[in-house]
Amino acid sequence: MEKSIAEMRKDAVKIFNKGVYAVEPRRAVKKFCRRDRDYFYAGSRKFHLPSIKNLYVIGAGKGAAPMGAAIEELLSDFITEGIINVKYGHKTRLDKIKLVEAGHPLPDKNGEKGTKAIFELVKDAGDKDLVLFLVSGGGSALLPMPVNGITLKDKQDTIALLLKCGASIDEINAIRKHISNIKGGRLAKIVHPAPIVSIILSDVVGDDLEVIASGPTVPDSSTFFLCADIMAKYNIKDKLPPSVFQHIKNGLANKNMETPKADDPAFSQTSTLIIGNNMEAITAAKKEADDMGYNSIILSSMIEGETKDVARVHAAIAKEIHKTGNPLPPPACVLSGGETTVTIKGSGKGGRNQEFSLAAALDISGNDKIVLLSGGTDGNDGPTDAAGGIADNTTLIRARNLSLNPHDYLSNNDSYNFFQKLDDLLITGPTNTNVMDLRVMIVA
Amino acid sequence: MEKSIAEMRKDAVKIFNKGVYAVEPRRAVKKFCRRDRDYFYAGSRKFHLPSIKNLYVIGAGKGAAPMGAAIEELLSDFITEGIINVKYGHKTRLDKIKLVEAGHPLPDKNGEKGTKAIFELVKDAGDKDLVLFLVSGGGSALLPMPVNGITLKDKQDTIALLLKCGASIDEINAIRKHISNIKGGRLAKIVHPAPIVSIILSDVVGDDLEVIASGPTVPDSSTFFLCADIMAKYNIKDKLPPSVFQHIKNGLANKNMETPKADDPAFSQTSTLIIGNNMEAITAAKKEADDMGYNSIILSSMIEGETKDVARVHAAIAKEIHKTGNPLPPPACVLSGGETTVTIKGSGKGGRNQEFSLAAALDISGNDKIVLLSGGTDGNDGPTDAAGGIADNTTLIRARNLSLNPHDYLSNNDSYNFFQKLDDLLITGPTNTNVMDLRVMIVA
């Protein structure tokens, strides 16, 4: 296979697009849920539709509207009522299900209103009813419902305080769940005794169900005691909003306030169906690469860490493929996914995927043919209109011809402007899905 | 294969040791050089020993003494004279070759003296002579010989200034070569018309011959013009030692002062033999893993980047192996090498390999059986007596039982004390070799 850099770049984009296409919400729902006359199949579960008294569709997330559309196409005549919270501007035309536009990533009053409406809709559901809960990326911020006495502002101040203390994401989630009416398994309790099926498009590394939308329908492994430990560890008793401190104190004294645990009967009626995740996208991308004739491997769908260093590891693998044919011989396609972080030190414009490609470009320069594409599956990398960036072994030469210093752009976190000038941005437009990032590395 | 964590840890150590054993300098020399009565074979080159008038053995590096020993075993009766600069405490008993102990990583007067002696020994070599040049890690610092008028202190001030400006390693090397009598191909010119064979144990990512010991016997691709550009770029004209500034200025005006380039006749008589490198160690380690029954892959021998983030990528691959059998199914052994960096922010004790294992431990906790070993092939990780550290999926639980907070140890760069308390240090003692680091990851 003698491909030019231009052809390899086209292949990388095609492979990326196949990955995204595989997790398009509407198609993803229909891949795992189907209707056969009077029966509704959701994964391995089967429901006899005429036997259901009320069928409620609730949900939240950036891709939840098209998921709702797919459910309406399958079940419209049987849906009693539905409410889904979506991010502003993420509306779709729906028939039975009401969409509530709300704030993301910062929750707002509209989110609270929508969540309250969802709560009211399902709180009296009975064992003859069925609740379908559609969740995608952003589900946590779009389902705000702090417990009585705690305002949305109290909650946000609490999380800001914890972040400032250097609390881990697990610690933040423990507190978040313990001041919510919905999260940490509480939605399962509200809906009980009605069965609830959570249909999930996962944007979480490793698909941890306790983390996705803060786990409204799964048992919570954290406790009020842990929350108290966290308060003590960071010595924030006096800095927390009084309402939050008081609620945790009350929770320590009153067992009934604890989030539901694995032995709670509510969980006998819950089931979870992941209809799309990062690995689903990677697997589809791999199939495309294989069909194109590349040797391919999936490195991991769970890649985390500082973007520019993760990029260097990828570049090191590309160079090794050239030099010794390890871990696989060229023409090779290496795929990875997950979500990296960027420690922002500059004032430029960019996103983790564009920064990934820029950092990789520095290490692959001077090598023979290598193309490295990194893109967000939602089509939206950081605060830019690009999904990501595409680097290759000629990137640095082309940059030099335009008098661009890639080191300067990288240290200023200005990857967008770097790739824009080279015409190497990956632009897809909004994809209406989100299963984190997808990286395609081609070595010929 | 049902192995316990304890067995997997033992396997990881065995696999690491096999890798190191493969690049032991004495054995490495004998793998690539041999004597057959009157003939000496160095790689693909063949020399008729009785036809050689003078056979000089010169060299520098931490592992150069045992390399010298191997050469003496092969050629003793034919060696005319020899001088090798070694790090203090790295002496071996040699017969014909004189060892000069000198400073490393900071070059010192003894290093200068030894280098001067090497210069004198070979400067009049003729076309009937043969020079063997033995190089291993540390060769650059152990061969200091600044040009006339520039002192060792001037040279060190220059490099310190460049580091402070954020100059890249390529930029530093360009200047380093242009103020040296030995580096940047000058040794080849000194020795010319005698043939010179460089026998190299590489401690450089990608084995770049221009970088290993600053390339004394290979053409230099940098120029005095580049040096002037670098001075301008960082605006250090007035901050450089005057002797260095003047030398670069003179070099711009006088073509004869330039380092030798690829078309220089001196290079018609040079050849280079890499007798050991990181990939050599990894390949031997892989063979051991295969023999033990593991599925194995070599990720890359060229891994660079911030240690804790590189560790996270490795952990992500381990978790993926468990979850989906990608990039290869368990029981799996993933090998990688190269040399990562640590941005020191704390005041603890550790090295990049121990920090790697500590950072990885955080991400693999809670998983099923995973063992991650990272070690320096020289047996010496940072300023510690350990070669590295071994982490597994139980590391965090065992740390908790001892009330150790792994996050605190990591942010304090105190990986040595963390693993010492857990009895999880990898201790090998000095190995007398150095081909950077070797990481062994086992997932069962």
Side-chain angles (χ1 to χ4, degrees):
Chain A
M1 177 159 49
E2 262 308 320
K3 288 202 173 183
S4 68
I5 283 287
E7 287 169 316
M8 288 164 63
R9 291 172 64 100
K10 269 189 205 156
D11 285 353
V13 173
K14 262 193 212 163
I15 292 167
F16 175 83
N17 286 339
K18 274 282 177 173
V20 174
Y21 185 70
V23 290
E24 190 278 314
R26 210 182 272 243
R27 295 185 61 250
V29 167
K30 293 200 175 164
K31 207 151 109 190
F32 287 86
C33 302
R34 62 187 178 88
R35 165 90 177 268
D36 187 2
R37 276 165 294 182
D38 282 351
Y39 287 94
F40 173 57
Y41 298 84
S44 61
R45 292 195 69 173
K46 179 181 177 182
F47 299 93
H48 184 241
L49 291 165
S51 307
I52 295 169
K53 197 169 148 208
N54 295 295
L55 197 167
Y56 302 112
V57 182
I58 59 174
K62 288 189 270 181
M67 290 169 77
I71 292 294
E72 281 200 348
E73 281 170 35
L74 291 172
L75 304 178
S76 181
D77 42 334
F78 285 99
I79 295 172
T80 309
E81 212 180 324
I83 305 172
I84 293 175
N85 290 358
V86 298
K87 187 177 173 174
Y88 291 110
H90 280 61
K91 269 187 126 166
T92 315
R93 190 174 181 84
L94 291 182
D95 186 25
K96 290 275 188 86
I97 302 164
K98 192 183 149 200
L99 293 179
V100 178
E101 288 185 284
H104 179 278
L106 280 186
D108 67 359
K109 283 281 160 204
N110 274 357
E112 273 196 300
K113 265 187 221 163
T115 310
K116 190 79 203 305
I118 289 171
F119 181 90
E120 291 297 329
L121 180 65
V122 297
K123 77 176 191 325
D124 298 322
D127 59 2
K128 299 268 174 281
D129 299 334
L130 172 64
V131 179
L132 300 181
F133 179 43
L134 313 182
V135 184
S136 75
S140 189
L142 290 167
L143 279 178
M145 191 175 178
V147 295
N148 248 342
I150 298 182
T151 65
L152 200 54
K153 185 172 180 308
D154 289 342
K155 188 192 144 181
Q156 283 166 8
D157 289 349
T158 303
I159 289 164
L161 175 66
L162 288 163
L163 282 171
K164 211 179 133 195
C165 298
S168 72
I169 186 69
D170 288 344
E171 291 170 336
I172 292 172
N173 281 341
I175 301 223
R176 205 199 302 259
K177 289 175 181 178
H178 279 84
I179 58 176
S180 166
N181 269 327
I182 293 284
K183 290 156 189 175
R186 289 193 194 277
L187 180 62
K189 270 199 94 82
I190 293 163
V191 167
H192 188 73
I196 179 166
V197 180
S198 302
I199 298 176
I200 297 177
L201 197 60
S202 164
D203 71 332
V204 165
V205 171
D207 306 327
D208 185 341
L209 296 177
E210 276 204 54
V211 176
I212 298 171
S214 305
T217 63
V218 294
D220 178 23
S221 60
S222 66
T223 60
F224 273 111
F225 286 101
L226 178 63
C227 294
D229 280 350
I230 296 165
M231 285 201 304
K233 176 175 175 187
Y234 297 106
N235 197 18
I236 49 174
K237 217 176 84 166
D238 301 329
K239 289 177 206 150
L240 276 174
S243 61
V244 172
F245 173 67
Q246 190 58 46
H247 181 74
I248 293 174
K249 212 177 133 188
N250 294 348
L252 285 170
N254 183 351
K255 263 195 172 171
N256 294 330
M257 285 173 62
E258 188 53 86
T259 50
K261 301 297 173 248
D263 58 357
D264 195 296
F267 297 115
S268 63
Q269 294 296 328
T270 59
S271 60
T272 300
L273 185 62
I274 294 185
I275 57 163
N277 60 11
N278 193 263
M279 186 45 96
E280 195 81 19
I282 294 184
T283 305
K286 183 182 192 302
K287 193 180 171 305
E288 180 72 5
D290 291 343
D291 289 349
M292 286 173 170
Y294 291 104
N295 304 312
S296 74
I297 52 166
I298 296 170
L299 209 55
S300 177
S301 65
M302 289 182 261
I303 307 262
E304 298 175 275
E306 182 69 27
T307 302
K308 64 182 196 303
D309 298 288
V310 173
R312 298 200 74 181
V313 177
H314 282 70
I317 294 170
K319 289 190 288 184
E320 193 67 59
I321 291 171
H322 263 315
K323 197 171 181 190
T324 69
N326 284 294
L328 77 176
C333 178
V334 178
L335 297 149
S336 80
E339 192 165 300
T340 61
T341 43
V342 173
T343 305
I344 295 175
K345 290 179 175 168
S347 57
K349 186 175 174 183
R352 54 183 184 268
N353 289 289
Q354 294 161 73
E355 178 144 328
F356 181 98
S357 297
L358 173 51
L362 292 173
D363 276 3
I364 60 174
S365 179
N367 273 272
D368 208 359
K369 293 176 202 162
I370 298 176
V371 168
L372 240 154
L373 176 154
S374 186
T377 53
D378 59 356
N380 182 227
D381 189 34
T384 76
D385 59 2
I390 312 173
D392 64 50
N393 52 300
T394 72
T395 297
L396 255 53
I397 300 166
R398 291 183 288 119
R400 197 179 306 141
N401 291 343
L402 296 175
S403 299
L404 310 176
N405 183 333
H407 295 277
D408 293 348
Y409 280 89
L410 182 58
S411 59
N412 195 30
N413 302 115
D414 201 19
S415 47
Y416 180 85
N417 285 310
F418 180 81
F419 284 118
Q420 192 181 40
K421 283 177 177 128
L422 289 174
D423 202 17
D424 284 347
L425 289 170
L426 173 69
I427 308 261
T428 62
T431 62
N432 282 314
T433 190
N434 182 16
V435 294
M436 302 181 289
D437 301 332
L438 180 52
R439 288 173 289 269
V440 182
M441 187 160 80
I442 297 184
V443 185
Chain B
M1 175 158 50
E2 262 308 320
K3 289 202 174 185
S4 67
I5 283 287
E7 287 169 316
M8 288 164 62
R9 291 173 64 99
K10 269 189 204 156
D11 286 352
V13 174
K14 262 193 213 163
I15 292 167
F16 175 83
N17 286 340
K18 275 282 176 173
V20 174
Y21 185 71
V23 289
E24 191 278 314
R26 210 182 272 242
R27 295 185 61 251
V29 167
K30 293 200 174 163
K31 208 152 109 190
F32 287 86
C33 302
R34 65 189 176 85
R35 165 90 176 269
D36 187 2
R37 277 165 293 183
D38 282 352
Y39 286 93
F40 173 57
Y41 299 84
S44 60
R45 292 195 69 173
K46 178 181 177 182
F47 299 92
H48 184 241
L49 291 164
S51 307
I52 295 169
K53 197 171 150 206
N54 296 294
L55 197 166
Y56 302 112
V57 182
I58 59 174
K62 288 190 270 181
M67 289 168 77
I71 292 295
E72 281 200 348
E73 282 170 35
L74 291 172
L75 305 178
S76 181
D77 43 334
F78 285 98
I79 296 172
T80 310
E81 212 181 323
I83 305 171
I84 293 176
N85 290 358
V86 298
K87 187 178 173 173
Y88 290 110
H90 280 60
K91 268 188 128 167
T92 315
R93 190 173 181 85
L94 292 183
D95 187 24
K96 291 276 187 84
I97 302 165
K98 192 183 148 199
L99 293 179
V100 178
E101 289 183 284
H104 178 278
L106 279 186
D108 67 0
K109 283 282 160 202
N110 274 354
E112 273 195 299
K113 266 187 220 162
T115 310
K116 190 79 204 302
I118 289 171
F119 181 90
E120 292 296 330
L121 180 64
V122 298
K123 76 176 194 322
D124 298 323
D127 60 3
K128 297 269 174 283
D129 299 334
L130 172 65
V131 180
L132 300 181
F133 179 42
L134 313 181
V135 184
S136 74
S140 188
L142 290 166
L143 279 178
M145 191 176 178
V147 294
N148 248 340
I150 297 181
T151 65
L152 199 54
K153 186 173 178 306
D154 289 342
K155 187 192 145 180
Q156 283 166 8
D157 289 349
T158 303
I159 289 165
L161 175 66
L162 288 164
L163 281 171
K164 213 179 131 194
C165 298
S168 72
I169 185 69
D170 289 344
E171 291 171 335
I172 292 172
N173 281 342
I175 300 224
R176 204 198 303 258
K177 290 175 179 178
H178 281 84
I179 59 176
S180 167
N181 269 325
I182 293 283
K183 291 158 188 173
R186 290 192 194 277
L187 180 63
K189 269 200 96 82
I190 293 163
V191 167
H192 189 74
I196 179 166
V197 180
S198 302
I199 299 176
I200 297 177
L201 196 59
S202 163
D203 72 331
V204 165
V205 171
D207 305 329
D208 185 342
L209 296 176
E210 275 204 54
V211 177
I212 298 171
S214 305
T217 63
V218 293
D220 178 23
S221 61
S222 67
T223 60
F224 273 111
F225 287 100
L226 178 62
C227 295
D229 280 349
I230 296 165
M231 286 201 302
K233 175 174 175 187
Y234 297 107
N235 197 18
I236 49 175
K237 216 177 86 169
D238 302 329
K239 289 177 206 150
L240 277 175
S243 61
V244 172
F245 172 67
Q246 190 58 48
H247 182 73
I248 293 173
K249 211 176 135 189
N250 294 347
L252 285 171
N254 184 349
K255 262 193 174 173
N256 295 330
M257 286 173 60
E258 188 52 85
T259 50
K261 302 297 174 247
D263 59 356
D264 195 295
F267 298 115
S268 64
Q269 293 296 326
T270 59
S271 60
T272 300
L273 185 61
I274 293 185
I275 59 163
N277 60 11
N278 192 262
M279 185 46 96
E280 196 82 19
I282 295 184
T283 305
K286 182 183 192 304
K287 193 183 168 305
E288 181 72 5
D290 291 343
D291 289 349
M292 286 173 169
Y294 292 103
N295 305 312
S296 73
I297 51 166
I298 295 170
L299 209 54
S300 177
S301 67
M302 289 181 260
I303 306 262
E304 299 175 274
E306 181 70 27
T307 301
K308 63 182 197 302
D309 298 288
V310 173
R312 298 200 74 181
V313 177
H314 282 70
I317 294 170
K319 290 190 287 183
E320 192 68 58
I321 291 171
H322 263 314
K323 199 170 180 189
T324 68
N326 284 295
L328 77 176
C333 178
V334 177
L335 297 149
S336 80
E339 192 166 301
T340 61
T341 44
V342 173
T343 306
I344 294 175
K345 291 181 177 169
S347 57
K349 187 176 173 183
R352 54 182 185 268
N353 289 288
Q354 294 160 73
E355 178 144 328
F356 182 96
S357 297
L358 173 50
L362 292 173
D363 275 3
I364 60 175
S365 178
N367 273 271
D368 208 359
K369 294 176 202 164
I370 299 175
V371 168
L372 239 155
L373 176 154
S374 185
T377 52
D378 59 357
N380 181 227
D381 189 34
T384 76
D385 60 2
I390 312 172
D392 64 50
N393 52 300
T394 72
T395 298
L396 256 51
I397 300 166
R398 289 182 290 117
R400 199 180 305 142
N401 292 342
L402 296 174
S403 300
L404 310 176
N405 183 334
H407 295 277
D408 292 349
Y409 279 89
L410 182 58
S411 59
N412 196 29
N413 302 115
D414 201 19
S415 48
Y416 180 85
N417 285 309
F418 180 82
F419 284 118
Q420 192 181 41
K421 282 177 179 130
L422 289 175
D423 203 18
D424 284 348
L425 289 170
L426 173 70
I427 308 262
T428 62
T431 62
N432 282 314
T433 190
N434 181 17
V435 293
M436 302 181 290
D437 302 331
L438 179 52
R439 288 172 290 269
V440 181
M441 187 160 80
I442 297 183
V443 185

